[in-house]
Amino acid sequence: MTIKKLMCSITLCLAASIGAAEASDRHVNCVQQQLATLGIDPGENDGISGARTRQALAEFIRGLAGEDVQAIFEGLPDFSERAAVGWCREIGGYAPQAAALMPSSEPPLILTAPNIPDEVRGYIQRSYDDARRMFAQEYGITTASKPVLIVAFGRDDLEKLLLEPVDGIPDLSPSAAQDTADDLCVGVERVMGSAYRNRIAMCMPPEHLDSVTSYDIWRGRYQYVMLHEYMHHVQREMLYDKVAYEETGRRRMGPLWMVEGSAYLAQIKSRGGPTREVSVPMLFSLRGSDEEEAVPLDYIRQKQSVRSDGEYAASNLSVAALALRYGEDRMVDFWRVAGELDDWEAAFKTVYGMKMTDFEKLFEELRHDQSKLMKFARGQEPYGLDMRFGRIKGADRPGHAARGPVRG
């Protein structure tokens, strides 16, 4: 966001706030504390995205040196309660002393049933810390927000924990808690997870509890789900979906084939050795899983849910093909750009150099022909010269991982 736009938003904010009471927001509060730490006065530290905070941000931007650094902040949405999480994250990435003021720098709230041993609660904390560390090392992402972690060994415990009030976070409805508990726990013999706007929930079969006697056991059984759900947490932050969007007609987080395929690439980082990276053998294996149903990507996008094995298989194969062709950094860039533009299609075109609908059509051709799939993944003709992409403005941000395409 340019300084001119920021100053214009100050005027709009003044007009909109007359006679209105605003609620405090933790990420606005984060930005105010960061600015004060950097020697810029944001006014009262009240968690309200007012004119004085915007003036302080304009002063902060004027003091930035270098086009790449300025591009990071110019790409952010206008400062508001909704956009504050991105400003908090990027200021924290710019200045180490400001990173310590992000909400994510403090341990998350962990909700479990009373019978869960302290050792197991420690495994949950360590699992979350390992996920954050992996995302920072592999993808250059350190989130500003933090979720509440809800872990249960059984359906009834999960439903109760989901309904437990948490300061600063909207309550879940009884129907949402019931549906989630049923989906994750009933008739399931392994760990299942789900991510809400401010919560990550995991449900394990009750009989697992007594056998979780070390972190190695925990990690081997459950870490892939923590990584999968943490990616959804990252996606929501990048899409500025940590605050409910009040305008009508806003689409859900998506497209869902990209949502779930990205989470799959995160969850395989729990593996050891070469199988944690996207490779040609992995693409062969994913294609075999996809062959049975071959669910069209446009169907998943329009349906806006991923439920069946076939829908997951299509999502995993399509995103893995993109990652093998363009590198996993482009996947991360997609979520960042989608949030900044507030437009999935425009973000896909910016990041991958083609329309989303064109890729969905192309994928139907690729999935049914292994030779064509490999040529696309390797950038070979006829899928080469007409699919080039350029540098994304602001991509070389502090801490942004520099992972190139994995050829395998």
Side-chain angles (χ1 to χ4, degrees), residues 164-181:
E164 189 166 322
V166 178
D167 287 344
I169 295 177
D171 294 341
L172 286 184
S173 68
S175 62
Q178 180 178 342
D179 290 346
T180 299

Side-chain angles (χ1 to χ4, degrees), residues 75-232:
L76 295 176
D78 292 353
F79 186 71
S80 65
E81 180 182 346
R82 177 174 174 252
V85 65
W87 286 86
C88 173
R89 180 183 66 249
E90 298 302 346
I91 294 174
Y94 171 76
Q97 65 270 42
L101 298 170
M102 297 191 299
S104 61
S105 66
E106 297 292 331
L109 174 65
I110 299 174
L111 300 180
T112 62
N115 67 317
I116 303 301
D118 289 342
E119 291 82 0
V120 174
R121 288 178 58 85
Y123 302 154
I124 298 169
Q125 175 69 61
R126 187 172 172 184
S127 176
Y128 171 80
D129 291 342
D130 282 352
R132 291 192 72 231
R133 188 176 303 110
M134 187 284 288
F135 271 78
Q137 293 173 348
E138 296 284 340
Y139 299 134
I141 298 173
T142 299
T143 61
S145 61
K146 63 179 178 182
V148 176
L149 303 180
I150 302 173
V151 179
F153 288 81
R155 184 226 171 274
D156 292 345
D157 283 344
L158 182 61
E159 182 176 5
K160 291 177 184 177
L161 294 168
L162 286 168
L163 290 172
E164 189 166 322
V166 178
D167 287 344
I169 295 177
D171 294 341
L172 286 184
S173 68
S175 62
Q178 180 178 342
D179 290 346
T180 299
D182 288 343
D183 288 345
L184 300 188
C185 307
V186 176
V188 177
E189 297 181 355
R190 61 182 179 87
V191 59
M192 297 288 285
S194 183
Y196 282 89
R197 182 171 282 118
N198 296 294
R199 295 171 173 85
I200 289 177
M202 297 173 62
C203 186
M204 294 76 161
E207 59 270 20
H208 280 203
L209 180 57
D210 290 341
S211 62
V212 183
T213 56
S214 70
Y215 182 64
D216 286 342
I217 292 175
W218 174 281
R219 189 181 188 284
R221 287 182 182 174
Y222 310 133
Q223 187 62 14
Y224 75 97
V225 176
M226 179 66 79
L227 291 174
H228 185 107
E229 302 306 331
Y230 194 84
M231 173 57 88
H232 292 327

